Each structure stands twice: as C-alpha cells, then as structure tokens.
Amino acid sequence: MRITVVGTGYVGLVVGVCLAETGNDVVCADVDAGKIGRLNAGEIPIYEPGLEPMVERNLREGRISFTTEVASAVGGAEIVFIAVGTPPGEDGSADLQHVLAVADTIGRNMPDDGPEKIVITKSTVPVGTAAKVRAAIARHTGRRVHVCSNPEFLKEGAAVLDFMKPDRVVVGVDSEYAREKLGELYSPFVRTGNPILFMDIASAEITKYAANAMLATRISFMNMIAGLCEAVGADVSHVRQGIGTDERIGPGFLFAGIGYGGSCFPKDVKALVHTLRESGVDGSILDGVEKVNEAQKRLLLDRVVERYGADLAGRTFAVWGLSFKPETDDMREAPSLTVVRGLVERGARVLAHDPEAEHEAQRYFADLLETGELVLREHNYDCLEGADALLVLTEWSPYRNPDFPRVQALLGEPVIFDGRNLWDPERMRDLGFEYVSVGRVAVAAAQPGRALAAAGA
C-alpha cells in the first residue's frame, strides 16, 4: 500500500518504519527540514532501541523516504496517518491545531480521481476529533474520505517491539471499506492471534486516554500506598507482591518510585480530565492521580532537605539518570527536572550522568550548564567523587549492580537516595550506606567493622 505518515516524532517515525518493514511503500513527511535531512542520511533524531537499523534497511531497500513536501506526500497516498503533536493547552485540553492543519492540507490536495483515501488519526486526540478532521477535509473537496481512529499504544524504549508484536490493535471505523483495508494493513502484525479490535470511532478515541489514565492511576495509587508504608513501618515491595499476585490486579505498573513523566501520561491525564469536565462527568479520581504524582516528583528533593537542611550551599550531589524512564532519551516531564533544579535553587552543585539523555539535558538545563551549577559526566562513577550523596532518578540497567565499595570510596559520605528502589535496604545497611528509598524504612549504615566485612565478602 502507498502510505504517508505526517509527523516524524516518536510515534510517526516508528509507525512509518514498521509499516515499511512489512513491504508497504511509505513516505514520512514533516515540516522540520533539519530532521528530514538527518533521516534521509540515516541519522535518527531520537533514541529508540532497534529503530536505527530498521530505518537504514528500509532506506537502502527503497521502501521508505522522508520529505518536507507534505502536500504532495498526502496527495499521492492511499492511507494517510496523522501523527503530529497534540500538546496540552493552558486548560489541559489537547491542542489540535497541528492535526487540523494536516487535515486542511489533505483536503486541499485530494486528487480528482483514484482510489478512495483513508485518513487515520494516530496522534492521541480527544473524542470528537475525527469529526473535526472530516469537516476540515470536506471544506476543500467533495470526494469521500474515510476518517478513522487508530490510537497508538507504544511504550518509549520498546516502541518497535510494541508495533511489530502488539497485544492488540484498536481501530475505530465507520465504513466497511476502511475496515477491510486496515484489517489487511495490520494482518502481518497479528499472525499469532492477538486481536484487531474494530469499534466505533468515539470508543477508539476514548480507549487511548482510558488506557494511559488507568496506568497512571496504578502508579499514583502505589506511590500513595508507599507513603502509608513509610508512616507505619511497612515495606511497599512486600505489599506490591501481595496485591500483584491477585489475578484480578496483576503485577504491572505497581512499582513505587518518584512519579511518572514522559510525553504521554501527564498530558493524557490532563486532557481526559478536561474532557470529563466538559462532559459533566466527575473526574476527581484523576485530579488525585495528578496531585500524588506532582508531590512524588519532589520526594527525593524533600528527603535531601530533611537530611541536610534547606540551605544546600557548598554541597555537591551526584545524580544517576535524567530521562523519565530507562531505554529512552526523553526528558519531558521527567522527575529529574524537578529534582536537579530544586537542588540548584537551594545552592547545591549537581554532577549528573545518563546513558542516552545527555543531548536532551543540554537543551533542558542549558542555563545550569552554562553557570556550572550542573555538570554532565561521561561515566556514572565520575559523578561521585566528593559528593555529599548519590540520588538515583532513573532505573537504567548499568546502575542496577554497581561496584558498591567503589561507590562508597568515591562519595564524600556513604549516603544514597534511591528513587527507584533498586537495592535491598538491609544489604545497603550492611555495606555501610545510609540508604533512603521509597515506601520502605530508611536505614542507617551498619557499624564500620560490619560494613567492611560485608564489602569484602
């Protein structure tokens, strides 16, 4: 099939490349000339495991191309995916200006003849958007266009695998033609029996928001329980096991930590709250989800202030992890934005490391890097020398099993604030660390003799 994907961000690029991988003729269009130039040279503007070799292969074999000529790209396609950004407005609603601009371009460039065209909203959009897209196209053409909703469920860090082997494909359609064509398009991805769920368009539009809001709710719920565990001396890890083994609940998204971030959960929860409010439906449960999450992002900063006082002048803190989650360079809404700036605002200097997000950190923290209040290090151990404490903000694999005697020797004091519960508190105590985690009782270091014996064991 001849497919055009408008937008080459995380979603659009993954969608285009994965569809090309199954033999389709794909054009990815974007108004950002710099990004398109890099993509045509085989350079990937984002970090996403497995994506780069797939782009290189499909460029080489001629199944994918990248262009800034959006008008010609949409005019020549059988299927057009709209995958542009929908940032939140001041009231939390999704900003549809880019989506509707693409719809307008499609309408202006409809050919006089040829096969019927299918236009798919792949961007996360509120209920009713498909009707607005259809109206925007219809202002310029009398030809029939099949507008569909096909929300994405791609996890950053596993997006390629999620697309190639989805647990389900959700498609909102209102014509048999669109149903047949999209069933054909997605058939290579569901050969193992996972379903293509065809439904009405409004239900498909709501499904994406409902899914992300449910996952965000689970995270905030466990972080609320973590606060209770700390208050009464319980261990949230045990509670997670106790409820996660209930088949009605399951273990996913039940890890306590320092809150969710990224490009999806924060804006999608806000957008759903806005839609609920507009529809006269009580959305207070999601108000609570947001409130808990915002407080959770400050948790390690608050713990540092409790330990050292509000004036951190003259102190240095090491930070491991800046991206909002591992296996991505995305720092949008990351807890590190709150923690690093909070430390600097209180007078501290921060030495930070992240395996992939250094270029994003240079963008988000340009002012702090210029003043030297934040310094990025090439290796994680380089952050530690003389630091008053280590703060772990992202659970990257290289951080999971470090050389603890080396960590202890480099730190000015053996103090760790672990925002991702990577290590066992008793073990950390025995190794000689003062260790603060989430939802578990903080531990002081064991006696020096015991710590040395444990480190040498």
Side-chain angles (χ1 to χ4, degrees):
M1 296 184 190
R2 288 180 292 112
I3 297 168
T4 290
V5 181
V6 183
T8 56
Y10 275 96
V11 174
L13 187 55
V14 171
V15 168
V17 174
C18 290
L19 290 174
E21 185 74 4
T22 53
N24 296 289
D25 180 6
V26 178
V27 177
C28 289
D30 200 298
V31 296
D32 187 334
K35 184 187 293 186
I36 292 300
R38 291 177 62 191
L39 286 166
N40 275 319
E43 299 177 17
I44 309 302
I46 59 174
Y47 175 73
E48 184 62 41
L51 188 60
E52 185 170 1
M54 195 177 284
V55 171
E56 292 173 350
R57 179 168 58 252
N58 283 281
L59 273 172
R60 184 173 61 249
E61 297 179 7
R63 290 190 295 268
I64 195 167
S65 61
F66 301 96
T67 183
T68 57
E69 299 296 328
V70 179
S72 60
V74 300
E78 298 172 68
I79 298 175
V80 178
F81 284 89
I82 301 177
V84 294
T86 54
E90 291 185 5
D91 60 357
S93 63
D95 184 347
L96 298 179
Q97 64 171 314
H98 302 302
V99 171
L100 297 180
V102 175
D104 186 80
T105 301
I106 293 169
R108 291 178 184 275
N109 293 276
M110 283 288 293
D112 295 330
D113 53 15
E116 298 179 60
K117 193 182 295 290
I118 296 173
V119 175
I120 300 168
T121 55
K122 198 69 176 173
S123 305
T124 300
V125 294
V127 63
T129 299
K132 294 178 181 179
V133 168
R134 182 180 284 110
I137 295 171
R139 281 196 289 270
H140 305 288
T141 180
R143 290 199 62 197
R144 186 180 184 189
V145 177
H146 304 269
V147 178
C148 310
S149 173
N150 175 214
E152 55 86 14
F153 299 97
L154 307 177
K155 300 185 295 293
E156 291 186 39
V160 171
L161 181 62
D162 285 344
F163 196 97
M164 299 300 290
K165 297 182 179 180
D167 50 14
R168 85 289 200 197
V169 177
V170 173
V171 184
V173 295
D174 61 4
S175 74
E176 190 59 33
Y177 177 82
R179 181 187 179 107
E180 289 178 3
K181 294 292 284 186
L182 294 183
E184 179 184 346
L185 180 67
Y186 278 112
S187 61
F189 304 100
V190 293
R191 296 182 65 190
T192 58
N194 289 344
I196 301 177
L197 301 175
F198 288 101
M199 60 185 70
D200 63 275
I201 293 173
S203 295
E205 290 174 330
I206 291 175
T207 295
K208 168 65 176 181
Y209 282 110
N212 279 354
M214 173 60 77
L215 296 174
T217 299
R218 288 171 69 98
I219 293 170
S220 282
F221 175 82
M222 283 309 294
N223 284 331
M224 177 188 70
I225 294 300
L228 176 62
C229 288
E230 291 180 9
V232 302
D235 187 326
V236 74
S237 300
H238 297 158
V239 176
R240 176 182 60 81
Q241 293 170 348
I243 66 175
T245 47
D246 185 326
E247 63 180 13
R248 298 168 299 176
I249 299 173
F253 286 81
L254 292 181
F255 288 88
I258 51 175
Y260 59 78
S263 63
C264 293
F265 286 8
K267 76 177 182 67
D268 289 357
V269 170
K270 286 181 172 62
L272 183 54
V273 168
H274 178 81
T275 299
L276 289 165
R277 188 179 299 118
E278 279 197 329
S279 303
V281 179
D282 182 6
S284 56
I285 188 171
L286 295 181
D287 292 332
V289 168
E290 287 191 290
K291 182 179 178 181
V292 169
N293 193 61
E294 287 306 306
Q296 210 68 16
K297 288 182 179 181
R298 296 183 53 84
L299 184 66
L300 285 200
L301 178 61
D302 292 342
R303 297 286 165 79
V304 168
V305 170
E306 289 172 10
R307 172 67 167 73
Y308 297 102
D311 183 2
L312 300 177
R315 295 193 180 275
T316 299
F317 294 95
V319 167
W320 283 2
L322 297 170
S323 60
F324 85 95
K325 60 181 276 189
E327 300 303 325
T328 181
D329 57 358
D330 195 347
M331 285 180 57
R332 285 173 288 184
E333 301 282 348
S336 64
L337 300 177
T338 298
V339 174
V340 170
R341 288 200 176 275
L343 292 172
V344 169
E345 286 168 2
R346 288 161 176 78
R349 184 168 181 254
V350 177
L351 309 178
H353 172 267
D354 189 284
E356 294 293 341
E358 180 175 341
H359 64 289
E360 288 296 291
Q362 290 171 350
R363 182 163 66 92
Y364 280 98
F365 293 127
D367 55 331
L368 304 186
L369 291 167
E370 185 176 354
T371 62
E373 294 164 302
L374 169 65
V375 178
L376 301 177
R377 298 296 197 195
E378 184 177 358
H379 303 292
N380 58 317
Y381 291 104
D382 295 343
C383 301
L384 302 177
E385 188 166 2
D388 291 273
L390 165 64
L391 282 69
V392 180
L393 306 186
T394 314
E395 64 273 34
W396 283 95
S397 293
Y399 303 158
R400 290 182 178 273
N401 192 28
D403 182 341
F404 283 116
R406 183 180 180 187
V407 172
Q408 190 176 51
L410 288 170
L411 285 172
E413 293 183 272
V415 182
I416 295 178
F417 297 87
D418 180 3
R420 299 301 179 183
N421 288 0
L422 295 187
W423 306 302
D424 177 69
E426 291 188 5
R427 182 191 179 207
M428 299 304 291
R429 178 197 62 203
D430 291 347
L431 286 171
F433 288 95
E434 179 181 336
Y435 180 66
V436 179
S437 54
V438 182
R440 304 182 295 184
V441 176
V443 297
Q447 295 299 315
R450 185 178 179 186
L452 290 173

